[in-house]
Short mmCIF file of all heavy atoms in Angstrom, two decimals:
data_model
loop_
_atom_site.label_atom_id
_atom_site.label_comp_id
_atom_site.label_asym_id
_atom_site.label_seq_id
_atom_site.Cartn_x
_atom_site.Cartn_y
_atom_site.Cartn_z
N PRO A 34 -4.76 22.16 -9.53
CA PRO A 34 -3.31 22.33 -9.72
C PRO A 34 -2.78 23.62 -9.05
O PRO A 34 -1.66 23.63 -8.54
CB PRO A 34 -3.18 22.38 -11.25
CG PRO A 34 -4.33 21.57 -11.75
CD PRO A 34 -5.45 21.90 -10.82
N GLU A 35 -3.56 24.68 -9.06
CA GLU A 35 -3.16 25.93 -8.41
C GLU A 35 -3.16 25.76 -6.92
O GLU A 35 -2.25 26.26 -6.19
CB GLU A 35 -4.05 27.08 -8.83
CG GLU A 35 -3.78 28.41 -8.12
CD GLU A 35 -2.36 28.92 -8.31
OE1 GLU A 35 -1.70 28.56 -9.30
OE2 GLU A 35 -1.90 29.70 -7.43
N LEU A 36 -4.18 25.09 -6.37
CA LEU A 36 -4.20 24.81 -4.92
C LEU A 36 -2.96 24.06 -4.52
O LEU A 36 -2.31 24.39 -3.52
CB LEU A 36 -5.44 23.96 -4.60
CG LEU A 36 -5.54 23.46 -3.15
CD1 LEU A 36 -6.03 24.55 -2.22
CD2 LEU A 36 -6.46 22.23 -3.04
N TYR A 37 -2.58 23.08 -5.31
CA TYR A 37 -1.41 22.25 -5.00
C TYR A 37 -0.15 23.09 -5.04
O TYR A 37 0.74 22.99 -4.15
CB TYR A 37 -1.33 21.11 -6.03
CG TYR A 37 -0.39 19.98 -5.62
CD1 TYR A 37 -0.85 18.90 -4.88
CD2 TYR A 37 0.95 19.99 -6.00
CE1 TYR A 37 -0.01 17.86 -4.52
CE2 TYR A 37 1.81 18.97 -5.65
CZ TYR A 37 1.33 17.89 -4.91
OH TYR A 37 2.17 16.87 -4.55
N ALA A 38 -0.01 23.97 -6.06
CA ALA A 38 1.17 24.81 -6.16
C ALA A 38 1.28 25.74 -4.96
O ALA A 38 2.38 25.98 -4.44
CB ALA A 38 1.15 25.62 -7.47
N ARG A 39 0.15 26.28 -4.51
CA ARG A 39 0.16 27.16 -3.34
C ARG A 39 0.52 26.36 -2.08
O ARG A 39 1.26 26.86 -1.23
CB ARG A 39 -1.20 27.83 -3.18
CG ARG A 39 -1.55 28.83 -4.27
CD ARG A 39 -2.81 29.57 -3.95
NE ARG A 39 -3.23 30.40 -5.07
CZ ARG A 39 -4.19 31.34 -5.01
NH1 ARG A 39 -4.84 31.51 -3.87
NH2 ARG A 39 -4.50 32.03 -6.06
N ALA A 40 0.02 25.15 -1.98
CA ALA A 40 0.36 24.31 -0.82
C ALA A 40 1.85 23.99 -0.79
O ALA A 40 2.45 23.97 0.29
CB ALA A 40 -0.47 23.04 -0.83
N GLU A 41 2.45 23.79 -1.98
CA GLU A 41 3.91 23.53 -2.01
C GLU A 41 4.67 24.78 -1.53
O GLU A 41 5.65 24.65 -0.78
CB GLU A 41 4.30 23.19 -3.45
CG GLU A 41 3.92 21.80 -3.89
CD GLU A 41 4.44 21.46 -5.27
OE1 GLU A 41 4.24 22.28 -6.19
OE2 GLU A 41 5.07 20.39 -5.43
N ARG A 42 4.23 25.97 -1.97
CA ARG A 42 4.90 27.20 -1.51
C ARG A 42 4.73 27.34 -0.01
O ARG A 42 5.67 27.72 0.70
CB ARG A 42 4.35 28.40 -2.28
CG ARG A 42 4.77 28.47 -3.74
CD ARG A 42 4.54 29.82 -4.35
NE ARG A 42 3.10 30.14 -4.49
CZ ARG A 42 2.41 29.84 -5.57
NH1 ARG A 42 2.97 29.22 -6.61
NH2 ARG A 42 1.15 30.20 -5.65
N LEU A 43 3.54 27.09 0.47
CA LEU A 43 3.31 27.20 1.93
C LEU A 43 4.14 26.20 2.68
O LEU A 43 4.71 26.52 3.73
CB LEU A 43 1.82 26.95 2.21
CG LEU A 43 1.40 26.94 3.69
CD1 LEU A 43 1.74 28.26 4.37
CD2 LEU A 43 -0.10 26.63 3.83
N ALA A 44 4.29 25.00 2.15
CA ALA A 44 5.13 23.98 2.81
C ALA A 44 6.56 24.49 2.92
O ALA A 44 7.22 24.24 3.95
CB ALA A 44 5.04 22.67 2.02
N ARG A 45 7.07 25.13 1.90
CA ARG A 45 8.45 25.65 1.94
C ARG A 45 8.56 26.74 3.03
O ARG A 45 9.57 26.81 3.75
CB ARG A 45 8.87 26.18 0.58
CG ARG A 45 9.14 25.07 -0.42
CD ARG A 45 9.83 25.55 -1.66
NE ARG A 45 8.89 26.16 -2.61
CZ ARG A 45 8.18 25.53 -3.50
NH1 ARG A 45 8.28 24.24 -3.61
NH2 ARG A 45 7.38 26.18 -4.35
N ARG A 46 7.55 27.58 3.17
CA ARG A 46 7.54 28.61 4.21
C ARG A 46 7.48 27.97 5.62
O ARG A 46 8.13 28.44 6.57
CB ARG A 46 6.38 29.57 4.09
CG ARG A 46 6.18 30.16 2.68
CD ARG A 46 7.32 31.12 2.29
NE ARG A 46 7.95 30.71 1.07
CZ ARG A 46 7.47 30.85 -0.18
NH1 ARG A 46 6.30 31.40 -0.35
NH2 ARG A 46 8.15 30.42 -1.20
N LEU A 47 6.69 26.92 5.76
CA LEU A 47 6.59 26.24 7.05
C LEU A 47 7.90 25.54 7.39
O LEU A 47 8.34 25.54 8.56
CB LEU A 47 5.45 25.21 7.03
CG LEU A 47 4.02 25.74 6.92
CD1 LEU A 47 3.03 24.60 6.89
CD2 LEU A 47 3.71 26.71 8.06
N ARG A 48 8.54 24.99 6.36
CA ARG A 48 9.83 24.36 6.59
C ARG A 48 10.84 25.36 7.10
O ARG A 48 11.66 25.09 7.99
CB ARG A 48 10.32 23.67 5.32
CG ARG A 48 11.58 22.82 5.54
CD ARG A 48 11.99 22.13 4.28
NE ARG A 48 12.27 23.04 3.19
CZ ARG A 48 12.82 22.71 2.03
NH1 ARG A 48 13.12 21.44 1.82
NH2 ARG A 48 13.02 23.59 1.09
N ALA A 49 10.78 26.58 6.53
CA ALA A 49 11.70 27.64 6.96
C ALA A 49 11.42 28.05 8.41
O ALA A 49 12.31 28.58 9.08
CB ALA A 49 11.55 28.85 6.06
N ARG A 50 10.23 27.77 8.88
CA ARG A 50 9.87 28.07 10.29
C ARG A 50 10.13 26.88 11.21
O ARG A 50 9.71 26.84 12.34
CB ARG A 50 8.41 28.49 10.42
CG ARG A 50 8.12 29.80 9.72
CD ARG A 50 6.75 30.33 10.09
NE ARG A 50 6.42 31.58 9.43
CZ ARG A 50 5.46 32.42 9.80
NH1 ARG A 50 4.70 32.11 10.86
NH2 ARG A 50 5.23 33.52 9.14
N GLY A 51 10.80 25.87 10.64
CA GLY A 51 11.21 24.74 11.47
C GLY A 51 10.27 23.56 11.51
O GLY A 51 10.44 22.63 12.32
N ILE A 52 9.23 23.52 10.62
CA ILE A 52 8.31 22.38 10.58
C ILE A 52 8.85 21.32 9.64
O ILE A 52 9.14 21.60 8.46
CB ILE A 52 6.92 22.87 10.11
CG1 ILE A 52 6.39 23.92 11.04
CG2 ILE A 52 5.98 21.66 10.07
CD1 ILE A 52 6.19 23.49 12.49
N GLY A 53 8.97 20.13 10.17
CA GLY A 53 9.47 19.02 9.33
C GLY A 53 8.78 17.71 9.71
O GLY A 53 7.79 17.68 10.47
N PRO A 54 9.29 16.59 9.19
CA PRO A 54 8.66 15.30 9.47
C PRO A 54 8.51 15.05 10.97
O PRO A 54 9.46 15.24 11.74
CB PRO A 54 9.64 14.28 8.84
CG PRO A 54 10.27 15.07 7.74
CD PRO A 54 10.43 16.47 8.26
N GLY A 55 7.28 14.64 11.35
CA GLY A 55 7.02 14.31 12.75
C GLY A 55 6.61 15.49 13.59
O GLY A 55 6.07 15.31 14.71
N ASP A 56 6.78 16.73 13.10
CA ASP A 56 6.28 17.89 13.86
C ASP A 56 4.79 17.98 13.71
O ASP A 56 4.20 17.44 12.78
CB ASP A 56 6.96 19.16 13.35
CG ASP A 56 8.43 19.24 13.71
OD1 ASP A 56 8.79 18.76 14.80
OD2 ASP A 56 9.24 19.78 12.91
N ARG A 57 4.16 18.76 14.59
CA ARG A 57 2.72 18.88 14.57
C ARG A 57 2.31 20.34 14.54
O ARG A 57 2.77 21.15 15.34
CB ARG A 57 2.08 18.20 15.79
CG ARG A 57 0.58 18.16 15.78
CD ARG A 57 0.06 17.42 17.02
NE ARG A 57 0.48 15.99 16.99
CZ ARG A 57 0.46 15.22 18.06
NH1 ARG A 57 0.09 15.69 19.23
NH2 ARG A 57 0.86 13.96 17.95
N ILE A 58 1.42 20.68 13.59
CA ILE A 58 0.79 22.01 13.58
C ILE A 58 -0.66 21.87 13.97
O ILE A 58 -1.30 20.88 13.70
CB ILE A 58 0.92 22.69 12.20
CG1 ILE A 58 0.15 21.92 11.13
CG2 ILE A 58 2.41 22.85 11.79
CD1 ILE A 58 0.05 22.65 9.77
N GLY A 59 -1.16 22.90 14.62
CA GLY A 59 -2.58 22.91 15.00
C GLY A 59 -3.36 23.85 14.10
O GLY A 59 -2.82 24.88 13.69
N ILE A 60 -4.57 23.52 13.80
CA ILE A 60 -5.46 24.38 13.01
C ILE A 60 -6.76 24.55 13.77
O ILE A 60 -7.52 23.59 13.96
CB ILE A 60 -5.74 23.81 11.62
CG1 ILE A 60 -4.44 23.39 10.92
CG2 ILE A 60 -6.50 24.82 10.76
CD1 ILE A 60 -4.64 22.61 9.63
N LEU A 61 -6.99 25.77 14.27
CA LEU A 61 -8.17 26.10 15.04
C LEU A 61 -8.87 27.24 14.34
O LEU A 61 -8.61 28.41 14.61
CB LEU A 61 -7.74 26.45 16.47
CG LEU A 61 -8.84 26.98 17.44
CD1 LEU A 61 -10.02 26.02 17.52
CD2 LEU A 61 -8.26 27.23 18.79
#
Side-chain angles (χ1 to χ4, degrees):
E35 175 58 23
L36 174 79
Y37 195 91
R39 292 187 187 190
E41 286 184 310
R42 290 195 290 271
L43 177 59
R45 288 192 280 273
R46 310 292 122 76
L47 293 180
R48 187 177 59 172
R50 295 192 181 197
I52 301 299
D56 289 325
R57 185 178 297 163
I58 64 170
I60 310 172
L61 174 54

